[in-house]
Amino acid sequence: MILTYYIVSTLLVIAYLLGSIPSAVWIGKRYYGIDIREHGSKNAGTTNMLRVLGRRAAIPVFALDFLKGFVAVTIIDLVKYDEVFAQAPNENWFYVLRFAALFCAVLGHIFPIFAGFRGGKGVATLVGGVVAVNAPLVLLCAGVWLIVLMISHYVSLASMIAGLCYPIFTLTSPKVGHLPPFIVFSFVVAILLIYTHRKNIKRLKEGTESKIYIWKPRKVRLEEQELKAREQADESLEEAIEELVEEFCEDNKEE
């Protein structure tokens, strides 16, 4: 029995340490020379990486954060080889342990020990863990997320609505709708997503939340091109003024 507790505790600690790997922080510092937590929404996650550094930076961050949750939940299956859990009458305990591991991984992402306990919202890590538990429900939520994103262009809003749909899909699922641990977990997921997006909710109310376009409308592309052209023109003007000032100072020195 003591060995069982030791194994479970060790796996949960490993789950937290996996979640604490600050992929966005490390990639931002190593390849772009910035701390992503000091830019954009100051969140160490995929959306902020996409907003600040683009897709090339965001894709590996999402993949690594997803894997953190997936691996953290998958390794819990090792307890099946323990005699105590091998004699369990049903799978409820296994679901409880999987959810506990996922909670530890998400907690690690939000409060990473390797990055001064300043992390992200844990959405990608949460998705990875939930996929490891039950992939079909995640696919349904992913469909909701994509539809809301295409309509609103707000990643935060899409994530929250998809999270709120998760308990609904769970309750209507013939496979897991009768399992109390799974039902409780689905509501915890929804509440956790709302809580971690509280700053986004405030920005949505104020109309200051940034939009992300999967396929940018022509009008948006033109606006971005105009903005870039104006920025380049301003930089050229500043350089020209600096050159004139330098020439003027040199002429005065010669006189």
Side-chain angles (χ1 to χ4, degrees):
M1 194 61 147
I2 294 176
L3 181 61
T4 299
Y5 287 137
Y6 174 77
I7 292 172
V8 171
S9 301
T10 301
L11 292 176
L12 293 179
V13 170
I14 291 173
Y16 170 78
L17 294 176
L18 283 171
S20 289
I21 297 173
S23 56
V25 177
W26 286 353
I27 288 175
K29 289 183 176 180
R30 175 66 177 82
Y31 296 101
Y32 299 91
I34 68 169
D35 187 341
I36 193 63
R37 297 172 297 180
E38 305 300 329
H39 299 271
S41 64
K42 303 186 186 302
N43 175 57
T46 303
T47 303
N48 199 33
M49 290 291 284
L50 178 63
R51 186 182 295 118
V52 176
L53 298 174
R55 282 178 292 183
R56 289 185 64 183
I59 291 174
V61 168
F62 175 81
L64 290 172
D65 288 349
F66 179 94
L67 283 173
K68 291 190 302 187
F70 187 87
V71 174
V73 172
T74 302
I75 60 175
I76 283 294
D77 285 351
L78 290 173
V79 300
K80 287 184 176 180
Y81 298 101
D82 184 85
E83 291 183 1
V84 174
F85 286 96
Q87 298 172 3
N90 53 54
E91 291 192 14
N92 282 341
W93 272 110
F94 289 116
Y95 278 112
V96 170
L97 290 177
R98 290 182 186 121
F99 298 146
L102 180 53
F103 173 79
C104 290
V106 173
L107 187 68
H109 184 90
I110 298 173
F111 304 107
I113 193 173
F114 303 127
F117 300 100
R118 289 177 56 210
K121 295 182 177 69
V123 175
T125 302
L126 182 64
V127 171
V130 175
V131 166
V133 176
N134 189 290
L137 293 181
V138 179
L139 292 176
L140 290 173
C141 291
V144 172
W145 179 87
L146 183 60
I147 292 171
V148 175
L149 178 62
M150 293 179 65
I151 294 173
S152 69
H153 307 295
Y154 290 119
V155 174
S156 57
L157 182 63
S159 299
M160 286 186 286
I161 293 178
L164 290 173
C165 288
Y166 188 58
I168 298 174
F169 294 148
T170 298
L171 290 170
T172 57
S173 170
K175 185 175 181 180
V176 295
H178 62 285
L179 297 173
F182 210 112
I183 295 172
V184 172
F185 171 75
S186 67
F187 280 96
V188 171
V189 168
I191 294 170
L192 182 64
L193 279 175
I194 297 298
Y195 176 76
T196 57
H197 284 82
R198 57 194 184 282
K199 292 182 180 178
N200 301 86
I201 294 173
K202 182 180 179 181
R203 288 195 293 267
L204 286 167
K205 289 180 179 179
E206 295 172 348
T208 57
E209 179 76 330
S210 300
K211 290 186 176 182
I212 289 181
Y213 294 86
I214 299 178
W215 296 282
K216 293 183 179 179
R218 186 170 180 273
K219 181 180 177 181
V220 175
R221 291 200 304 270
L222 291 174
E223 289 176 353
E224 289 182 348
Q225 291 172 1
E226 290 176 1
L227 178 61
K228 189 174 182 180
R230 285 198 299 269
E231 290 176 349
Q232 291 176 346
D234 291 340
E235 290 177 0
S236 300
L237 180 60
E238 289 177 0
E239 291 175 358
I241 292 173
E242 289 177 359
E243 290 177 0
L244 288 173
V245 171
E246 289 176 0
E247 290 177 2
F248 178 77
C249 293
E250 290 176 359
D251 291 341
N252 286 340
K253 287 181 181 179
E254 292 177 357
E255 294 177 359

